[in-house]
Amino acid sequence: MDPQGIKNWFTAPMLVSFLVFGTMPFWIEAIGLYQYLGLEVMIWVIFALAVNLLLGYTGLPSFGHGAFLGIGAYAFGLTQFNVAANLWISLLGAVAVTAVLGGLVAAFISHRRGIYFALMTIACAQIFFFIASKWTDVTGGEDGLLNIARLPIDLGLAEISIKSNFNLYYLCFAAYVIIVAGMWRLVHSPFGKVISAIKQNDSRVAFLGYNVWLYKWLIFTLSCAVSGLAGALFAMAQEGAYINIMSLQWSGIVILIVLIGGGFISFWGPVLGVIFYFLARDILGAYTEAWLLWFGLTFMVMVMFKPEGLAGIWQDGQAMFGRRKAAVEPCPEPNHAGGD
Amino acid sequence: MMLQIDNIETFYGETQALFGVSLEIAPGEVVSLLGPNGAGKTTTLRSILGLTPAQNGRINFDGKVITRAQSHDIARAGIGWVPDDRRIFPTLTVARNLAIGRKKTRFRSWSVKEMFEIFTALEHLMPRECENLSGGEMQMVSISRALLGSPGLVLMDEPSQGLAPKIVQDVMKTVTRLKSEGIAVLLVEQNAQSALAVSDRAYVMDHGQVVHQGPAAELLEDAPMRERLLGV
Amino acid sequence: MVDFFLGLLPHLLNGVALGLLFALLSLGFMLIIGVMEVINLAHGSLFALGAYFAVMLMGQDGGLPFAFMQAYYDLPAIPRYIIALIVAPALVAVVGMGLEICLRRTYGKDPLYGLLLTFGAALVLEEIIREIWGPAEYFLPLPKAIRGGFFFGDMIYSNYRIFAAVFAMAMIGLLWAFLNRTPYGAVIKAGAHDSEMVRVLGYNLSRLRLFVFAFGAALAAIAGIVMAPIWGVRPHVGVDAVIPAFVVIVLGGVGSFWGAVSAGLLVGMVVALTAAFLTEWSLLSMYLLLLVVVTFRSRGFAGKASALKA
Amino acid sequence: MTDTPLLRVNQVRKTYSMGLLNKQVTFDLRADFSIEKPGIVGVMGPNGSGKTTLFELITGSNNPTEGQVLVCGQDIHQVRSDQRDRLAIHYHQSYQVRHFRKRRPNFMLRPSSTDYPMVHLFDEPQFNTQDGYIGFMLDFFRRLRDEGRLVVLCVHPNEPFHLQIMREICEQYIFVQKGRLSQAPDFDTLLQNPDVTAYLGDLVGGQAA
Amino acid sequence: MALFEAQHLHKRFADQVVLEDITLAFEENQISGIMGPNGAGKTTCFNVLTGRYKPDRGQVRFDGRDITGLPPRKIARHGIARSFQMMNLFDEYTALENIVLALPEVRAKGFSMTHDLAGDDGAQERGAAVLARIGLAGREHTPASDLSYGQRRALEIGIALAAEPRMLFLDEPTSGLGSDATATLAALIQEIRKSVTIVIIEHDMKFLFDLADRIAVIHWGQVIAQGTPDTLRDNEWVRASNLGALA
Amino acid sequence: MSSKITRRSMLRGTALATAGAGAAFFGPWKQNRVYAAASDKPIKIGLTHDASGQFANSGQAEKRGTIMAIQEANAKGGVLGRKVEYVWMDTETTPQTGTRVAERLITRENVHFMVGAIQSGTANAISQVAQKYGCVYFNTNSSSPTESGKNCHRVKFVWDGSGENFSRAAAKNAIDAFGKKWMFLYNDYVWGQNTNAATKKVAANYGADAVDEVAIPVGTRDFSAILLKIQQQKPDVVAAAVGGDDFKVMRKQVSDMGLDTSPAWLNNQQDWPDVYGLGADAAFGVFGTTWYHLLDLPGVKDFVARYQARYPTTRISVPGNVTYNGYVAMRELLRVIEETGGTDNTKIIKALEGRKMSADDRMQTHDAVIDPNSHHVQQTVYLARGNKKPADKTDYFEILTAADPESVRASADAVCKLESFADTPSYDQG
């Protein structure tokens, strides 16, 4: 690949994120946190990126995306138990099942947007939630699907165990690298431009000859598939699949996370949001039981005064120090300054 | 001056509708605002009322700048509105519609009884739900509602539309009466002749600009000019 | 067959009581959508808050820690219940006003922002409840007169259900009279129909909105108090309340008073009957209903165009 | 179709009343006329006299208390409600649209016998002299007539030229006053009616001069 | 045969008939106008012609093919483009991105998730050419939201043009423009008419009478008159109106 | 709708039993990974009690028990001369949080042991993590038959009676007293399902006739439809396996409607925090329990007095079975540490397996033993019912019988297959 090509695939913020996340297990304990937390952060970053693909890029508020995280987790466990105890097959199973169910839901709701879209996703997610909680024979009901194994990474000749949180983290990190690079590519590809155009003005896109419904369907399904991957990783991290993450509450919290981070205006918003949320939970949470209350209030203040979130504050800061984006161009973000 | 508009520019979203409109009305003066469909007459009224505030320019009413004021404050300062589509609340009775419009300002206040005198048909309509009124009946309610708000300036948008000739004459008489009470009227009309007949001065708008202004009598009498500007 | 229908009777009564309560709940929700075009996802939290305030005003262990209140707690249950029915909604109305002031920044923007803000508010209110009252379930103590059950024929009927149904009916009637027979109601209706004209008639729209939001919140609180003995009082009871409200509005149409009442009855009936015959799936029925309703009914409302439009 | 009149309003009566127990008739419209041939009919009358109600009865959006309306021989109230405008169509101003409850579901009713409206009712079309559309409108009315349809034109003449238009284009006139109809074959006959002169007020003076 | 024909279109919304038996024909390489007072059904007619609404009855034919009731994207793919009355730009995108997205070649790659649009020199060049044609050379990288109103109107037309249509529908292109900008726009339309058949909805009669080869007047959801500007102007009321006076 | 919608995932404030010692929430300065000076290093116990969700109340009740045991041990000079510290984190009654809490307690807080559970799902999640690291975990109050059956673990010890124990104690009695027409209600999750299955089996053995079976979704708040069903079916006995807040609400509605005496109710188990505060008449029907604060046995009065001295302002003024289970479990853990002379997991587990505990020591009627094959404590199960003549306002229960452990032994425990010691990592935080 020529240097220009490489530059198209990787950007400075992306490399910074690789550096930070790539070394995290080596310093996370030094700052008083623990490996499992890093693991959860990594998984939730992937999930939040998937959610933002809908919310931030396509303007489709999915208020029930937690359901797909859960479906991924269950599917991972069930494939492992019933099909083959192989990491790759189980991951594939999780992604495929989530994509199929996501595609089904998307077929129902892709002609909607705004509030109705949000409500349809809530309804669908609740239905999945109840099915998961009722279908005890398959999902383990309220107790969850237990004893999901962290299957070894099968490289044909060698096998790498991911039983330790440290090793599993690097599997998640690898997934993150692939997802981030792929998603960055995606949002700058024609497809990404079209979905973002749909967010800005879907009827115009239709009159340009694009099949809006199909694009919405595809991006929803894609987002679900990535959520399913995150769910599979989560199932491994937890060594179980539990119904709780499918609840409305968690679906809502991930929206909060994405928005506080600044998913509306930046690719990196969800990443910032997840870090903010998990740090706040572990640090603030130690000092006040009411930390979620403060988090919720922060969210309200953000919606009122700075819907662009942390990324928006960051951009304002940059603007204040006179670094207009025209000057240096390391990060051709979907920069919507002045758009909203 | 009762109302003084200086060079206002108004936008709907990003669409510019007024390109520097200026006009003025003295107390007790009746002014016609004429022009074809889409010329910006209604927008001018909406800008005065603060519903679509002017982005540039200045509007002065009764000695106060109201360019950016809230609509309800503008209304309380004494501007009444008779919108072209009547805007009667259909699920309320006529009596309630009128009651909602009542308020006190520093200008003359009107009683419901006086309304009955102007529109004799109004009295027996009082208990009716407005949904079931005919167009003309709605127009009477709309005008009465505006007057009950004790305005010093009434903005009338097509008041004669849908009214029987007799009632149009009543309306025009009311306009004359308002004038005699020192109340100013800005009259937007399609029926230029009847409007001009009661007006002191007239403005003609086109394409969001004032293209002519002058005494109403001049327009009424100068047939070629009238024909050129108004087609009649 | 006759037995079957006789057996059905109490379930139907159940459905009616539930339905009337849903209607009461959704009328407040509708008022807010009608006047300010906001889907208030915090409506359920206001509902919960109403129930908690009532618990506080009814029972000693309801969270009022003030010793000087002892004299108040010595009052018989009925006056305390009546006080709770008045004071709790008033307190919730104040909370509603606070929320409306926050919402002002979202007016005129994409309705999604209002949705997100009220969503955040729902979370915050729930947390506040949890902080003050803790996570456990509370029970609203009731005066003896409206507790217990009685037998009619072979079946048992709950006194409270009948009280709730009658009370909800009375509230709906009062609300109707307020909206249709008083000048305040007329301004609200006018504002819901044409807020621009109302402004031009000299009404301060901000103040009207504030009042309507407070009023809607108080209605949510009343519904919460009456629903409390049926649903229990716990921090996240609000989620259970806001979904039926939405279903009712979508079914009945924004701005249609009797539409909301009849839709409320329908939803109540569906919930009661699924609980009777498909107990395991009773909690799901609401969401299935929402899905079906939104799929087939979202366009062509009975009522006016609004933020609900897709 | 030669024998069937284009429009037959047969002993139609519409009353509105108020009060639940002690019913009082607040409005009473009676109409009985028929128009055999295509043409342009001018309708005038004071506000609230019943013109709009008459139009609603003819287009089938409002139900008569008594009597029936036949358009091209078909009872319009027996036609599917979504096809009534295939017989008679009402062009009203948006603020005048009133909603009526449907009495019977469509599957119990008959389809319309024609595919395009035979009776066109224009309720107060805006005659704005400044943009010149009037000319096209008048031509259009004539064209409809020439295509064999009936045009009913309701105008409040507020300017002398309105009267001119009515006189020029209409072939017969109906005047509605307090729920009663009177017909006139031409404009001058119409002006004989004292109610009409009262209705027109000052305008008629100008006209006579 | 005319390039675009609509026959006996009917459309109703709920209880209301909005289009009643509309028959229109637009000849190739002509500018056709549709005019009518507010609320006459012009925009509904436009929406039916361009596929946003499906007519209840009637037929729309383009270049001999029946395109009745096709969804907008399919109609667009037949080579019919439209602009919007309310400007429908992609505000977060630059002028060039707005145009590039409309290029048929980009549309063909729409599902590509790996292709790099910014690095596609061919598309960028063609987009820049369209921008130059509508007088926006040099503004390639300005976000659409930062353009002036007149420039945005031009970009609106540019997006439609970029699709390389055979037929272009313009919905009230002059709305919100002052007289200078209107003149610029008229010049632009005169320029592009060389390569594309144009239909314009307008209530600015003067604008339309100057540009159009044929005009249809729509009122009450029907075509109440049509003809060349000269024949229409022949009407005594038109002559008496200020249009007649100004024209 | 579901009470599983939980939320707060938090370290609820770590408290240290040792006075004055600052807790380490964050920052590298408190990390102590050097185990060399083991002799004076405090013994750290992770408490996994619920503070929110369906079982928040019970979680707090058992926390009072475990902390009481720790404080009593510290008052006597600690264990092996070392102070006993605890770190408590809220598990929110959700498995997901349970996992994270366990991970954090083990890897970040470096606890020696973990204690605390109410809901079987959360207990499972914790025990999986515990098993992965080899950390000994006491399930104090989850009475799902699966806990010591299908989902048993080498590191997990189950201290409460299981639903099956309670069913066995109650079923025979109920058939003889009330009749054979039975209706079954159960909470629709693992504890409810398994307990119900066990009850049904036992009842069927004694000749009961099941007329209907109703699964109640977790989080149900409106029981009227179910009560109407009961009224229609007219069973002699309703066997209910409904837990937590659901049970509380149901009981309230049952007594409001006057259905609490006829039919007879068989409520499997009534946890003290679920009844307390509702008055004696809310404890209707027949049910099992492991302990009652008015048992006429040695040590009970003293225990109650110590509890009241330690928690004078608590809403629940006397200890109940949940607090009791937490207390005795923690006390036993500390004793075993003392006996084995260290915190090595293998030694501790071996000392616990088959361990006998005397009746007097446990304030119960019969001796108890920890089954070495299922790690389930086999103990006395009392059959109780609502007290018609309460001695004081805490006297809700009337104890009917005291079944010895063998007679109520759960068949579900036979399913248990413990991991071998080889498969259990050795775990000793020093």
Side-chain angles (χ1 to χ4, degrees), chain B residues 88-127:
Chain B
I88 300 294
F89 306 115
T91 53
L92 305 179
T93 61
V94 172
R96 279 260 185 263
N97 261 289
L98 296 183
I100 279 188
R102 286 203 79 116
K103 65 178 185 302
K104 289 242 181 303
T105 67
R106 76 171 189 82
F107 302 101
R108 178 198 198 288
S109 52
W110 300 74
S111 69
V112 179
K113 225 168 158 197
E114 283 172 295
M115 293 305 119
F116 295 162
E117 284 163 19
I118 298 172
F119 302 110
T120 42
L122 201 58
E123 189 162 5
H124 73 266
L125 292 178
M126 289 297 273

Side-chain angles (χ1 to χ4, degrees), chain D residues 30-56:
Chain D
R30 286 157 198 256
D32 181 42
F33 63 93
S34 85
I35 297 167
E36 314 288 330
K37 285 184 305 202
I40 300 175
V41 180
V43 175
M44 281 178 265
N47 295 115
S49 61
K51 295 184 306 287
T52 302
T53 304
L54 179 64
F55 282 16
E56 286 164 357

Side-chain angles (χ1 to χ4, degrees), chain C:
Chain C
M1 203 59 188
V2 174
D3 278 359
F4 175 76
F5 283 110
L6 276 179
L8 207 57
L9 212 61
H11 292 295
L12 293 180
L13 175 80
N14 242 344
V16 168
L18 216 51
L20 287 167
L21 288 172
F22 284 160
L24 188 58
L25 169 69
S26 34
L27 285 171
F29 190 65
M30 180 166 85
L31 220 51
I32 291 171
I33 299 175
V35 175
M36 52 214 97
E37 311 248 303
V38 169
I39 312 269
N40 179 19
L41 286 186
H43 201 68
S45 308
L46 298 168
F47 168 98
L49 206 56
Y52 272 98
F53 282 138
V55 166
M56 185 172 89
L57 290 159
M58 276 307 286
Q60 293 242 35
D61 57 353
L64 267 191
F66 315 118
F68 69 87
M69 296 295 290
Q70 197 51 51
Y72 167 77
Y73 285 126
D74 289 341
L75 282 174
I78 291 176
R80 261 186 299 145
Y81 190 65
I82 294 169
I83 290 173
L85 272 175
I86 295 165
V87 176
L91 293 174
V92 174
V94 174
V95 176
M97 287 185 187
L99 184 53
E100 201 275 341
I101 290 169
C102 294
L103 269 170
R104 282 182 187 176
R105 294 195 61 96
T106 69
Y107 294 150
K109 287 194 202 164
D110 187 328
L112 193 60
Y113 285 104
L115 197 74
L116 287 169
L117 188 69
T118 54
F119 180 78
L123 192 81
V124 167
L125 285 176
E126 195 181 315
E127 282 307 306
I128 290 174
I129 288 173
R130 221 179 282 272
E131 288 314 315
I132 298 177
W133 285 281
E137 186 99 20
Y138 276 88
F139 295 92
L140 181 64
L142 291 173
K144 267 250 154 28
I146 51 173
R147 270 178 7 209
F150 65 90
F151 286 86
F152 180 79
D154 208 18
M155 295 305 298
I156 194 166
Y157 294 83
S158 153
N159 285 340
Y160 187 75
R161 300 268 164 165
I162 290 175
F163 164 78
V166 171
F167 182 84
M169 223 173 333
M171 283 309 299
I172 290 169
L174 276 177
L175 181 62
W176 185 86
F178 172 77
L179 287 177
N180 289 286
R181 293 278 178 269
T182 66
Y184 306 102
V187 177
I188 291 174
K189 279 177 82 177
H193 183 261
D194 185 347
S195 61
E196 202 170 80
M197 193 66 221
V198 165
R199 283 164 69 200
V200 175
L201 291 175
Y203 293 90
N204 186 335
L205 193 61
S206 310
R207 218 174 292 164
L208 178 68
R209 282 174 164 162
L210 194 65
F211 172 75
V212 168
F213 210 100
F215 193 65
L219 284 175
I222 291 175
I225 298 168
V226 184
M227 197 63 113
I230 299 176
W231 273 2
V233 185
R234 60 223 131 100
H236 58 268
V237 72
V239 182
D240 307 0
V242 71
I243 299 287
F246 192 83
V247 177
V248 167
I249 295 305
V250 176
L251 258 178
V254 177
S256 166
F257 188 93
W258 297 116
V261 174
S262 39
L265 285 170
L266 178 69
V267 174
M269 212 58 92
V270 168
V271 171
L273 291 183
T274 43
F277 297 106
L278 287 166
T279 314
E280 298 100 294
W281 299 100
S282 62
L283 296 179
L284 194 54
S285 66
M286 187 72 67
Y287 293 94
L288 282 174
L289 200 62
L290 178 65
L291 202 64
V292 171
V293 162
V294 174
T295 304
F296 294 107
R297 181 67 216 219
S298 71
R299 281 165 208 274
F301 280 118
K304 68 163 192 163
S306 76
L308 274 174
K309 260 215 173 123

Side-chain angles (χ1 to χ4, degrees), chain A residues 142-143 239 244 282 289, chain F residues 4 12 96 104 128 190:
Chain A
E142 300 279 337
D143 274 357
E239 294 179 79
N244 170 257
D282 249 59
E289 294 189 10
Chain F
K4 320 265 34 199
R12 274 290 184 126
Q96 183 195 340
R104 176 169 173 147
Q128 271 186 209
V190 171

Side-chain angles (χ1 to χ4, degrees), chain A residues 29-37 40 44 126 129-130 133-134 136 140-148 150 163 165 234 237-240 242-245 247-250 253 277-292, chain F residues 1-2 4-14 25-28 31 33 88-89 92 94-97 99-101 103-104 107-108 119-122 124-126 128-129 132-133 144 146 150-151 153 188-191 193-194 215-218:
Chain A
E29 287 181 353
I31 60 164
L33 299 171
Y34 48 106
Q35 296 293 352
Y36 183 78
L37 185 72
E40 269 202 5
W44 279 78
Q126 285 298 94
F129 176 85
F130 280 112
S133 77
K134 311 292 310 175
T136 318
E142 300 279 337
D143 274 357
L145 201 57
L146 302 170
N147 300 313
I148 293 176
R150 297 183 177 182
K163 283 233 182 313
N165 287 342
F234 202 39
Q238 299 221 314
E239 294 179 79
Y242 305 115
I243 185 139
N244 170 257
I245 43 167
S247 71
L248 210 52
Q249 198 86 21
W250 275 102
I253 284 176
Y277 175 82
F278 278 86
L279 284 185
R281 188 178 74 183
D282 249 59
I283 300 168
L284 262 184
Y287 292 99
T288 164
E289 294 189 10
W291 85 276
L292 200 53
Chain F
M1 305 252 125
S2 160
K4 320 265 34 199
I5 299 180
T6 56
R7 334 108 355 56
R8 167 163 325 128
S9 19
M10 242 5 326
L11 173 70
R12 274 290 184 126
T14 310
F25 302 124
F26 187 60
Q31 284 307 307
R33 299 196 162 275
W88 166 64
M89 288 175 77
E92 300 172 354
T94 61
Q96 183 195 340
T97 314
T99 301
R100 198 188 62 248
V101 162
E103 284 274 4
R104 176 169 173 147
T107 64
R108 157 90 171 82
Q119 193 230 18
S120 51
T122 313
N124 274 329
I126 297 170
Q128 271 186 209
V129 178
K132 184 174 79 183
Y133 290 98
S144 170
T146 51
K150 203 173 77 191
N151 297 327
H153 288 290
D188 204 3
Y189 74 106
V190 171
W191 168 77
Q193 289 156 349
N194 285 298
I216 296 165
V218 175

